[in-house]
Amino acid sequence: AWTYGLLYVLKFLNRPAYLMGHVSEDGFWLYFPVVFAVKTPLPMLLLLLATLGIWLLRRRTRMPDFFLLIPVVIYFSFAVWSRMNIGLRHLLPIYPFLFVLAGGTAVELWASGRRSLRLGLLFLGLWYLWSSVNIYPHYLAFFNEFAGGAKNGYKVLADSSLDWGQDLKGLKRWMDQNGVKKIRLAYFGTADPIYYGIDAGYMPGSLIFSPRPESKNPEAPRYIAVSATYIYGVDSGKPLKEFYKPLRFRKPVA
């Protein structure tokens, strides 16, 4: 059943994909390499490069390492081949193998006894910890320094690598701070904005399934809050893509 499902996805399942400002109906060959490069913390990437460097310099085969790489290479190849480009989550199965591989390299570097290598490992560890603390609690929107951090993430990826409607709390906080009582909302998510006290008029494409009570606020909304996925036309038909396209060229107020 698992094999059948995998082959079915590879042959039939296609969804629109967004990568670095472009939308494709068939996906991008570079999608998962780019996702891996910008969503993996840089300290981890540097440790993996150190692993590769050790292999090349010492020119010796470590069979356990190659056994760890086999599932990574096979799964990553299937991901690229499938062209199902909707998020880092489809690469998550490769990370446990890479963590074990990087851990082995860290042990080898530490066991060398060289002060510079040990200080380098400590630096990478603190950097990794800082990356986690700095993005809290917005882990889904994490992007490493290659992408310019989370603030530039929308320039590279959208959909589940950035935007799953997770920031209603932030929207409500901004509304309260700026005296905004009602807002127009184009929402790429399934949480209920009313639960957070957001009085909204819903724009086309919003994933709101429960009936909306009539607003008691007569004020016409002056602002529109739009999920990044909608602004870049991901996972929406041509009419919606054209509808939100003008907003790409407007500087957001927040």
Side-chain angles (χ1 to χ4, degrees):
W2 182 86
T3 304
Y4 176 85
L6 181 64
L7 294 175
Y8 178 86
V9 168
L10 288 174
K11 186 169 184 179
F12 295 111
L13 199 56
N14 282 315
R15 285 186 57 179
Y18 170 81
L19 182 66
M20 296 187 289
H22 301 282
V23 176
S24 170
E25 297 296 325
D26 302 313
F28 302 91
W29 289 110
L30 280 176
Y31 183 85
F32 284 111
V34 170
V35 167
F36 181 78
V38 301
K39 295 288 282 184
T40 305
L42 268 185
M44 177 65 179
L45 293 179
L46 292 173
L47 203 51
L48 291 174
L49 284 176
T51 303
L52 181 61
I54 290 174
W55 291 351
L56 294 176
L57 289 173
R58 298 190 178 178
R59 297 180 181 277
R60 62 187 178 85
T61 301
R62 298 190 301 182
M63 289 305 295
D65 293 352
F66 285 104
F67 278 116
L68 284 168
L69 279 178
I70 288 172
V72 172
V73 172
I74 292 175
Y75 187 92
F76 195 92
S77 300
F78 268 115
V80 172
W81 186 23
S82 73
R83 311 292 282 273
M84 183 67 170
N85 302 160
I86 59 174
L88 175 72
R89 57 198 170 104
H90 287 182
L91 280 187
L92 292 181
I94 73 173
Y95 280 94
F97 299 98
L98 294 177
F99 289 146
V100 174
L101 192 63
T105 299
V107 168
E108 185 170 343
L109 293 175
W110 189 269
S112 70
R114 294 176 59 181
R115 185 180 180 186
S116 59
L117 294 179
R118 288 188 171 186
L119 288 174
L121 284 173
L122 288 174
F123 173 74
L124 291 179
L126 291 173
W127 186 359
Y128 205 115
L129 178 62
W130 176 84
S131 296
S132 180
V133 172
N134 187 52
I135 196 65
Y136 173 86
H138 307 289
Y139 294 117
L140 184 64
F142 171 83
F143 286 82
N144 65 27
E145 290 80 356
F146 277 152
K151 66 180 180 180
N152 291 312
Y154 70 94
K155 297 177 182 178
V156 185
L157 300 169
D159 207 295
S160 62
S161 288
L162 170 73
D163 173 28
W164 256 3
Q166 68 268 31
D167 208 22
L168 289 179
K169 288 183 179 179
L171 175 59
K172 174 58 175 173
R173 187 162 53 247
W174 179 86
M175 292 173 66
D176 290 343
Q177 290 171 352
N178 292 274
V180 178
K181 296 180 180 179
K182 189 173 182 178
I183 198 163
R184 294 193 186 278
L185 184 61
Y187 178 53
F188 185 69
T190 56
D192 191 343
I194 289 178
Y195 175 82
Y196 298 95
I198 296 174
D199 187 0
Y202 295 95
M203 302 291 289
S206 293
L207 301 177
I208 304 295
F209 301 112
S210 55
R212 303 290 90 200
E214 286 294 325
S215 172
K216 296 179 181 179
N217 183 1
E219 178 183 326
R222 296 174 52 225
Y223 296 95
I224 173 173
V226 191
S227 292
T229 296
Y230 284 140
I231 288 183
Y232 287 93
V234 189
D235 204 27
S236 61
K238 187 174 181 180
L240 271 184
K241 189 184 300 185
E242 293 300 317
F243 182 78
Y244 290 112
K245 185 177 180 180
L247 295 177
R248 297 181 207 169
F249 309 103
R250 298 283 298 273
K251 184 179 180 181
V253 297

